[in-house]
Amino acid sequence: MSARLPLVTTADRRHRLGRRHRLAPSAHAATVVEAADAVVALHATDAATVFLSVRARLGAGGPEAVEQALYEDVSLVRLLSMRNTLFAVSAELAPYVDASTARGIAAKERRTFLKRLAEDGQGLDADWLARVEAAALDALDSLGPATGSRLSAAVPELRRKITVGRGRAYEAETGVATRVIRLLAADGRIRRDRPLGSWTSSQFHWVHTEPWPAVAAGEARAELARRWLTAYGPGTAADLKWWTGWTLTDVRKALAAVGPEEVRLDDGTTALVAPGDTGGEPAPEPWAALLPGLDPSAMGWSDRAFHLDPAHRPALFDYAGNIGPTVWWNGEIVGGWAQRADGEIVWRMLADRGRDAGEAVAAEAGRLARWLGPARVTPRFRTPLERELSA
């Protein structure tokens, strides 16, 4: 019976979030990699999210610390992975993310592109694609880090155009370069290097690299599930399925390999934690955080009721379900924030948590403004409250 299971309260879950996600000051990470591993993976669709998510969890260091990890040490890498989304993960974890998730996505991307080539009718096929990919890699070896446009200038076949949806209402002519580069990146044969412009830019240079070491898919999924349970547990199989994008069968096999324990939640439902992780979590000191859009702490579960009042969703999410910049107090989302054109950080509390919370949020906003300096950040996925605040 569930009544006999260990109880993990909402307060425990919020304490876990503050400590394990390195958001409470006493739990801040010492390195960029520690900050990333604390949440398993950092959303990287929006280039600035990686930097701002690390900032919120790092004891010291500016944007240059994240750049060092991404481009010099290559201890943090971007992979097209969970939910067909770009994430940044530690180099140690990357082979497991690659084998558990990215390989399947890469294979599907390749099948889709080959189908489009066949439908285009120019005789472009898998052999043609292999030749173009090899030429692109050779060009990168000669050029060094290169943008997509420079790579296209060096490899004439990348400048080809194909017609997508021929004869249909959505018929359009498109270049092949972006798709070929995406395939090479999905296969782990190239990676993103420094961007054009500042750290907020999503226009990257590319470099030739070696694919990740092979790991058995089942082993890789089990390792990723174990790490997710440690960082995000208690959670359900439905939460893990949503977070990874795996099939329910793969989720169940991964969980069976990990052997999680079942706990009881405040509302009487049950959830899973990592083996031996059923105890309560000591409360950290009071903490406030300003997290960017798509931050992992806001996107780790399909059911987020323990830290997000459903009444706040319309203000904080876009139409596609992407969360915008959020204000946190002691493990709970209590508002949203934005940066105005003049650099000012502005916020709005959607829940009144008292004077201490307001003062802590104001202090955190000041720290964020100083960290950003002259940089200006506009989320890729705009939300109603962020648009209103930044106006």
Side-chain angles (χ1 to χ4, degrees):
M1 294 178 63
S2 62
R4 295 178 181 176
L5 295 173
L7 174 66
V8 178
T9 67
T10 295
D12 287 328
R13 298 184 78 180
R14 293 176 180 178
H15 298 340
R16 285 175 177 238
L17 196 151
R19 288 184 179 277
R20 300 187 185 192
H21 289 201
R22 304 298 190 114
L23 291 169
S26 62
H28 278 173
T31 68
V32 171
V33 168
E34 284 181 15
D37 279 342
V39 290
V40 187
L42 301 166
H43 279 263
T45 304
D46 192 333
T49 294
V50 175
F51 287 77
L52 295 176
S53 289
V54 169
R55 181 213 71 86
R57 297 169 169 86
L58 200 59
E64 65 281 355
V66 187
E67 292 177 312
Q68 176 77 27
L70 284 168
Y71 310 124
E72 301 299 329
D73 303 336
V74 196
S75 54
L76 189 69
V77 294
R78 298 179 175 95
L79 280 80
L80 184 65
S81 49
M82 285 74 75
R83 304 192 305 283
N84 202 19
T85 299
L86 194 65
F87 280 85
V89 302
S90 66
E92 176 192 3
L93 182 60
Y96 297 93
V97 174
D98 180 67
S100 68
T101 310
R103 291 294 87 241
I105 291 171
K108 183 177 180 181
E109 291 270 330
R110 186 168 294 274
R111 288 195 301 270
T112 299
F113 185 52
L114 287 172
K115 180 181 179 182
R116 288 182 177 177
L117 291 179
E119 291 173 347
D120 179 56
Q122 296 185 53
L124 308 182
D125 57 13
D127 289 338
W128 173 86
L129 179 57
R131 291 194 300 272
V132 175
E133 289 177 315
L137 295 176
D138 288 343
L140 284 175
D141 289 339
S142 298
L143 296 170
T147 62
S149 59
R150 190 178 181 204
L151 196 55
S152 294
V155 181
E157 284 295 281
L158 286 176
R159 300 197 292 273
R160 270 188 180 266
K161 304 281 188 180
I162 63 171
T163 299
V164 177
R166 190 182 298 277
R168 298 182 176 91
Y170 57 85
E171 177 179 321
E173 189 178 61
T174 183
V176 302
T178 298
R179 184 60 61 175
V180 172
I181 290 171
R182 181 180 173 90
L183 289 178
L184 287 170
D187 280 342
R189 290 188 283 170
I190 64 175
R191 65 170 175 82
R192 291 164 179 80
D193 200 62
R194 290 186 179 273
L196 285 171
S198 76
W199 56 268
T200 63
S201 172
S202 293
Q203 299 295 317
F204 294 98
H205 292 84
W206 297 92
V207 294
H208 189 182
T209 190
E210 293 300 318
W212 297 105
V215 179
E219 176 190 348
R221 282 191 285 269
E223 175 62 14
L224 197 60
R226 183 189 65 79
R227 293 200 183 209
W228 180 84
L229 284 167
T230 300
Y232 295 95
T236 63
D239 289 328
L240 181 58
K241 181 180 183 297
W242 178 85
W243 186 82
T244 57
W246 298 340
T247 65
L248 184 58
T249 297
D250 284 341
V251 167
R252 287 172 173 166
K253 288 180 178 178
L255 289 173
V258 174
E261 297 190 47
E262 197 171 21
V263 296
R264 178 168 49 99
L265 304 179
D266 278 342
D267 62 3
T269 61
T270 61
L272 304 173
V273 295
D277 192 26
T278 60
E281 191 83 13
E285 73 279 22
W287 59 273
L290 271 62
L291 301 185
L294 298 179
D295 185 87
S297 294
M299 296 287 288
W301 307 261
S302 58
D303 182 355
R304 307 164 211 187
F306 81 94
H307 69 56
L308 173 65
D309 186 333
H312 301 333
R313 291 186 67 94
L316 297 173
F317 286 77
D318 72 3
Y319 71 93
N322 299 302
I323 196 167
T326 49
V327 174
W328 292 68
W329 174 244
N330 290 341
E332 177 188 14
I333 296 176
V334 294
W337 66 274
Q339 185 187 38
R340 289 182 174 157
D342 63 359
E344 181 185 5
I345 302 298
V346 291
W347 68 94
R348 178 178 300 163
M349 302 292 276
L350 299 176
D352 184 358
R353 293 296 179 262
R355 177 178 170 181
D356 289 347
E359 291 178 350
V361 169
E364 184 61 22
R367 284 190 287 272
L368 174 58
R370 291 189 293 274
W371 192 91
L372 287 169
R376 298 292 177 266
V377 177
T378 301
R380 174 172 294 189
F381 304 105
R382 309 291 302 275
T383 53
L385 183 57
E386 185 275 329
R387 286 181 180 275
E388 180 183 345
L389 291 174
S390 62

